[in-house]
Amino acid sequence: MSTNQRTTANRRLNRLLAGHTWVVYAFFYLPILVLIIFSFNESRLFGFQNWEGLSLKWYRQMFANDNLMQALRISLVVAVGSTIVSTVLGTAAALALERYRRWLGKRAFDALLYLPVIIPDVTMAAMLLVFFTSLGQQLSTVTIALSHIAFNISFVSIVVRARLANLDPALEEAAADLYASRWHAFRRVTLPLIMPGVLGGALLALTLSLDDVVITQFVKGPDTLPTFVFGLIKRSVTPEINAVSSLMLAASGVLVLGSLALQRRQ
Amino acid sequence: MTAEAPEIARASSQLEAAAEKAESRRGLTLAAPSYLYLIVLFVSPLVIIGVYSFASRSRTGRPLLEDWNLDSWAKILGDELIRSIALRSVVVALVTTMLCLAVGYPFAYYIATRSERVRNLLLVLVMIPFWTNFLVRTYAWRVLLGEDGPVTEIGRALGLWDATLFTLPAVYIGLVYGYLPFMVLPLYASIERLDWSLVEAARDLYASGFRAFLRVTLPLTRPGIIAGSILVFIPSLGAYVTPDILGGAKTTLLGNYIVNQYLTARNWPLGSSVSMAIMIVMLIATVWYFRSGARTL
Amino acid sequence: MKRIVSFFAVVALVATACGDDGSGDLEDAAAECQVDQTDGDLDLHNWSEYIAPELVEAFESAYGVTVNETFYDSNEAMLPQVESGGNDYDVIVPSDYTVTIMAEEGLIIPLNKSVITNLGNVDPEFTGLPFDPEGEFSVPYQWGTTGIGYSYDVVPEDWEPSWELLFDPAFADVSGSISLLNDPREVMGAALKYLGYSLNTTDQAQLDEATGLLKSVKDRIKLFDSDQFEDLLVTGETVAAHGFSGDFFAAYDEASTDTYDAYEDYGYGIPKEGAVAWVDTMAIPVTADAPCTAHTFINFMLDAENGAALTNFNFYASPNAASTPFIDGDILEDATIYPPDEVFERLEFIADTGDFETNFTDAFTEVKS
């Protein structure tokens, strides 16, 4: 092919790809649009034939709904708590696997870390329920958090390991020469280098915890937001859920765009 | 000098040995907390479920830790119903994975080939919808695909399709929607790390860009494809909320079946054995994957 | 590593085997209760939308305690919650056959009837029912029927309700627009009644016939749903729905406005071949930590006016004979909420079939495959 032909072919390909990409984005955001629109619907029922005009009443009702607010609070508490623990544990695990060549039981641990990822949600949910109840453990916020940590350690470790594997070992060797203590070398060099991975892992853990419905449904004491919605679906769905979701969307949008802006300044 | 050499050699090898042991201990210490955590909160529950698969069921549905039997395992192997459900679930999971791959690859490719700032923004835009509640998103699809939903209206106007809610295609839409990011992210990571000089060289070598892609780019991104496929296949296999909400609970998949056994039929031994069976199959598949040379997901 | 694993397994198994049976102590505590006594806040675990908020508030102010409400959507979801012992619900609202199961498993305590002074208000028809013959463990809460809600677009207003609307391939043009409950006993039961059998049968041949019937008419079914069947009917996604009486009426009421009466377009009927009558009851789980408050609450709900308020709120029938004067006239006159005797004869309560239960769930799974 001549260069010209290749360029036009490239450009056509580019446009096709771009078009495809925008269609996919539309696919992603269409339901989001719907849920935001219906958070302003006067009628309680979903469906375009049930549009009754704009109203803020669901937002007002949402704040007044104690059960909803409590579920939201519990969701956030569990998410933040389990994310912190699983990020620390997951990062440590990743370091142990990538930076230390041999230690007792390393291969078993490597395999063990993948299990929570490959196990189906439902199975993990059932076995955790059985586990907690056989031990006579009261189901509560704690059991939810413990369950979330159980699967999040693996996800965090995968992300951090990927990051670690890509790092130039020369940098860390240099740090080891420079700094007297390993801890210093870690804190000043390795940690900043893997920080994008750690943050990525933490973000993933946060998302997985906030959105989890199957496992939480089985081991919950009080409701988290997803299980509350699940239960609400069974009674009468009110657009209060849409209101909550829209606000969460706005909040996360602000958070994320904010952190991007910060990163750019770095 | 020669008299001291063996001393020095022994001393240095002792030092090395000591250093290695110290390193080994440090590695273990770092891993210890998560190791212990997973053993307590993952392995023992797994063992308990394994034990339950051999238990029996009381008249009123409580699992009894006596009268140990192989009934539930025999049922898995012998029951035609379970086999057809398993087969259907595998097909659904495979199709979902293929769809995600087909849709996700060009998407990830496009993003990975933008400038760095745009790339990050585009990726973030992929994640943001997943900060809303999964159930609400799924219910939004109910609106879109329902009798009066825009998707149905458009389909009817174009004469292409009728109401799609509570059908198998609706389930696929829901599953692809839910798991596409899990395919896109590993693909993106893989494509982004490509050595573009290789791609350029390939384009020079091959007459058509398509062959260049097929022979060079695609194989180079194989780790991403496999990682993404695993991350989509497994949850799809156990999906139960989406088939219920968007499929109208008309088709029983493995996920629904297991939940049914635990909650409705109150047949914990059977629920446990089916769960164990799925895990064992997954385990074999993963071991095979790693044996074939991959180092990490 | 193996040693650690087996250690935990043993611990867990031992813990399961030696279940802590605290029911004896709770029963004693309950026996000590006085009328109107409270011993702590009330944890009420109930079906959603099943109790009028004013009743909850009235109880709270009358007795100076807080009521913590939690919800469930099926007996099957509630059972493991109580079984696991991980919660301290004081009052639960199990359905008939669930009471049998829970009593047998020792999950609910015998009631101290001496403090339930309003027990006499209960309609004699609802005492001594098979699931709790001596009324030892439960007190009736509400009762209702499971029938068919339908749009007058597909059947005329004077149509005699029958399961044929759902199960007869030749009847009415409803292909792909009906919904059935997502419940094995209810759905298999409906098919069994249509075929002329008892819905508590333990005859596999009859069950197989029902399975065959359902599979043959599967293209009439749009979805299985136990939660939103009434909404889907009213929004036009379905034209007929298998579901619970009160839910339909609540939906029709809500859909009605000043200018539109939903009852002109939709109806509810109890099929002539027979259907399920169910009773929901109040019971006290063995994990309760405020048994006296629980008894007081049960007594409170049996009060004549409170029972009526309940019915006026959720449109289900009250088993409380003393409540009749206080119930809305419209509700009392509705033959589908308060069916006449000859209809009542054809209704059956769901009974637990013991080991045969799994056959029902298997049959249902097969239908859905």
Side-chain angles (χ1 to χ4, degrees), chain B:
Chain B
M1 182 90 128
T2 25
E4 300 167 338
E7 291 264 336
I8 298 179
R10 212 185 314 133
S12 71
S13 71
Q14 270 181 351
L15 266 176
E16 267 187 47
E20 259 191 52
K21 237 193 267 169
E23 209 182 290
S24 164
R25 240 184 302 126
R26 260 188 289 264
L28 186 57
T29 319
L30 263 183
S34 18
Y35 215 158
L36 280 172
Y37 193 95
L38 284 177
I39 291 182
V40 173
L41 270 151
F42 192 87
V43 178
S44 22
L46 203 54
V47 168
I48 297 180
I49 280 243
V51 167
Y52 267 119
S53 68
F54 298 106
S56 51
R57 177 188 183 269
S58 83
R59 215 191 64 91
T60 43
R62 199 198 326 216
L64 294 174
L65 291 177
E66 48 196 49
D67 282 340
W68 304 101
N69 58 65
L70 286 173
D71 289 346
S72 13
W73 288 97
K75 190 156 186 193
I76 299 180
L77 296 172
D79 192 312
E80 203 200 305
L81 187 60
I82 297 185
R83 253 179 305 171
S84 64
I85 292 176
L87 192 62
R88 197 179 319 125
S89 306
V90 169
V91 169
V92 168
L94 272 176
V95 173
T96 306
T97 309
M98 302 273 120
L99 286 173
C100 283
L101 196 53
V103 173
Y105 199 101
F107 184 68
Y109 193 89
Y110 184 77
I111 297 183
T113 49
R114 300 306 104 197
S115 70
E116 174 151 1
R117 271 170 44 176
V118 179
R119 251 186 285 165
N120 285 335
L121 180 64
L122 288 180
L123 273 183
V124 158
L125 283 179
V126 170
M127 296 296 306
I128 287 190
F130 288 80
W131 284 75
T132 57
N133 191 297
F134 158 70
L135 282 170
V136 186
R137 274 179 278 138
T138 316
Y139 267 89
W141 273 110
R142 255 171 97 135
V143 173
L144 287 168
L145 296 173
E147 276 297 324
D148 286 313
V151 174
T152 314
E153 302 272 308
I154 294 177
R156 286 205 183 119
L158 294 176
L160 283 177
W161 60 73
D162 206 349
T164 37
L165 191 52
F166 306 132
T167 61
L168 197 53
V171 177
Y172 280 125
I173 292 180
L175 288 175
V176 170
Y177 185 78
Y179 297 125
L180 194 54
F182 287 104
M183 175 63 81
V184 167
L185 292 177
L187 277 180
Y188 166 82
S190 204
I191 299 176
E192 198 241 347
R193 265 184 260 153
L194 273 181
D195 186 348
W196 292 101
S197 58
L198 287 173
V199 181
E200 268 304 308
R203 290 228 191 98
D204 289 329
L205 267 178
Y206 289 98
S208 100
F210 182 61
R211 288 197 79 194
F213 172 75
L214 212 56
R215 285 299 178 88
V216 180
T217 319
L218 203 56
L220 280 177
T221 52
R222 199 172 141 256
I225 295 179
I226 297 194
S229 303
I230 293 186
L231 286 179
V232 170
F233 183 81
I234 290 167
S236 308
L237 193 65
Y240 91 92
V241 175
T242 309
D244 261 1
I245 296 184
L246 290 179
K250 266 196 302 199
T251 22
T252 311
L253 297 175
L254 277 177
N256 313 92
Y257 189 73
I258 297 178
V259 172
N260 264 336
Q261 296 312 312
Y262 278 120
L263 294 184
T264 319
R266 291 160 54 71
N267 190 347
W268 285 53
L270 186 57
S272 305
S273 59
V274 177
S275 302
M276 291 297 295
I278 297 182
M279 271 230 72
I280 292 174
V281 172
M282 287 287 115
L283 210 56
I284 295 178
T286 325
V287 165
W288 170 78
Y289 165 63
F290 280 112
R291 280 280 166 80
S292 69
R295 258 193 74 237
T296 166
L297 262 183

Side-chain angles (χ1 to χ4, degrees), chain B residues 60 62 75 147 248 250, chain C residues 105 222 224 237 362 368:
Chain B
T60 43
R62 199 198 326 216
K75 190 156 186 193
E147 276 297 324
K250 266 196 302 199
Chain C
E105 296 282 338
K222 189 168 197 178
F224 292 86
E237 287 282 345
D362 283 345
K368 289 212 287 177

Side-chain angles (χ1 to χ4, degrees), chain A residues 117-128:
Chain A
V117 176
I118 68 173
I119 190 173
D121 261 357
V122 167
T123 311
M124 186 152 183
M127 74 188 207
L128 282 170

Side-chain angles (χ1 to χ4, degrees), chain A residues 24-42:
Chain A
V24 175
Y25 272 118
F27 176 61
F28 274 136
Y29 280 90
L30 212 52
I32 308 295
L33 216 64
V34 167
L35 89 86
I36 297 181
I37 292 179
F38 280 95
S39 70
F40 294 109
N41 185 8
E42 175 66 37

